[in-house]
Amino acid sequence: MKAIVVTDQAAGTAGMTLVERPEPTAAGNDVLVEVHASGFTPGELSWPSTWTDRLGRDRTPSVPGHELAGVVTALGYGTTGLSVGQRVFGLTDWTRDGTLAEYAAVEARNLAPLPGDLDFTVGASLPISGLTAWQGLFEHGRLRAGQSVLVHGAAGGVGSVVAQLAREAGAHVIGTGRTAHRQTALDSGAQEFVDLDTDALEDVGKVDLVFDVFGGDIGKRSADLVRAGGTLVSIAGPPEVRPADGLAIDFVVVPDRPQLSEIAQRVRDGRVRPHIATVSSLDDAVAALNPTERVLGKTVIRVRP
């Protein structure tokens, strides 16, 4: 099968190559998925799990990509809950070969049925951004209707879904970003926009929840914006500054079938729109994943036409 592999951590995405690889097999509780579309997060090339297994052993050349949409072609021993021929989407394990390939072996529990009226490209764009937004808002942030949420990077792949889910949940949503991102953030559900190029972040005042995708200086300054009893949720690593009278939580997204199904239903209803910036073929994936300028939104690789 065709697959993208990486062998050199220092080279980053520039070290990706398209090669022929053996087709994987489905172990116990796995399914083998014929991949139709794959999502990719550039930051994963800095994750230790891309390069070593759980015991710290080198596992290169490894196949990156952890989001997929496709069709189940085989079941491993003891696998239940899915069937051969079923359309699925979801999130693969961090320390196994990923989804930038024609086939991927995935634990069945990591996948959810993909409704027939959702395109594979849309399905592959949802798992990381959708689950990250859902878990950050509702599990870790304990968001309730009537609360206020500051969403950093509200025009990006994750931030745009955070803004949409928060708005739908009845929160007042304040988005941040650069000047060029204003309209996209507002279209994604933000009711106010803070231009990080020109506006003073501190003028936002106190909010119940900050969802931080940036870290660094923005993350530090955001801690002071959390009102008493509120929460700073970060996906940019442990917050360097904690709210004076609130919680600070950083987390790594985990697979969750019921949550994937909830997100898919919202996409079908038009309540959530994934922000897909680029769609490319597997043959052209190396170039697509090495853009000459910053891409705002998700890059999806269409593995099959």
Side-chain angles (χ1 to χ4, degrees):
M1 68 171 186
K2 290 181 180 179
I4 299 291
V5 298
V6 290
T7 57
D8 181 358
Q9 186 169 2
T13 54
M16 290 179 163
T17 53
L18 181 64
V19 301
E20 285 289 331
R21 294 264 291 194
E23 186 177 308
T25 57
N29 299 314
D30 280 354
V31 295
L32 184 66
V33 179
E34 179 186 71
V35 181
H36 284 244
S38 168
F40 176 73
T41 302
E44 72 181 68
L45 296 189
S46 66
W47 302 343
S49 57
T50 299
W51 309 99
T52 58
D53 64 16
R54 287 188 172 89
L55 298 178
R57 300 172 300 196
D58 179 80
R59 69 178 194 88
T60 59
S62 60
V63 179
H66 293 289
E67 300 169 280
L68 64 73
V71 176
V72 175
T73 59
L75 306 179
Y77 178 77
T79 299
T80 59
L82 297 174
S83 58
V84 172
Q86 188 170 13
R87 302 170 91 246
V88 293
F89 75 118
L91 188 63
T92 68
D93 190 273
W94 308 123
T95 56
R96 298 175 68 178
D97 277 344
T99 62
L100 287 172
E102 292 181 307
Y103 292 89
V106 189
E107 279 194 81
R109 64 179 181 176
N110 292 359
L111 302 172
L114 180 68
D117 56 355
L118 286 187
D119 186 79
F120 289 115
T121 300
V122 172
S125 75
L126 292 173
I128 286 182
S129 58
L131 290 174
T132 299
W134 189 282
Q135 292 165 18
L137 286 172
F138 305 124
E139 291 189 355
H140 303 294
R142 299 163 298 153
L143 180 69
R144 302 186 304 275
Q147 292 187 319
S148 53
V149 183
L150 178 66
V151 181
H152 287 308
V158 172
S160 62
V161 180
V162 173
Q164 291 174 78
L165 288 177
R167 179 73 177 270
E168 190 215 4
H172 180 79
V173 181
I174 306 165
T176 79
R178 305 301 176 189
T179 302
H181 305 163
R182 175 184 296 273
Q183 194 57 51
T184 301
L186 295 174
D187 290 344
S188 296
Q191 290 141 295
E192 300 179 48
F193 182 78
V194 178
D195 188 329
L196 295 176
D197 291 324
T198 60
D199 298 334
L201 181 60
E202 289 70 22
D203 288 347
V204 166
K206 298 293 186 179
V207 297
D208 296 293
L209 174 63
V210 173
F211 199 116
D212 182 27
V213 302
F214 293 140
D217 180 63
I218 295 295
K220 293 177 185 177
R221 292 161 60 195
S222 296
D224 287 338
L225 305 179
V226 178
R227 65 168 45 104
T231 307
L232 169 62
V233 172
S234 171
I235 61 169
E240 298 179 60
V241 178
R242 306 176 71 86
D245 191 16
L247 297 176
I249 297 172
D250 70 289
F251 75 100
V252 176
V253 63
V254 297
D256 190 292
R257 180 182 291 173
Q259 291 175 6
L260 284 171
S261 295
E262 289 280 359
I263 294 160
Q265 186 59 52
R266 282 162 172 75
V267 174
R268 297 176 73 196
D269 293 344
R271 291 176 285 167
V272 170
R273 292 176 291 108
H275 189 181
I276 300 173
T278 305
V279 179
S280 182
S281 68
L282 187 61
D283 287 340
D284 297 327
V286 172
L289 298 173
N290 284 276
T292 55
E293 56 187 35
R294 184 169 182 265
V295 175
L296 187 66
K298 196 74 182 178
T299 296
V300 176
I301 302 303
R302 187 83 188 197
V303 178
R304 285 176 169 79

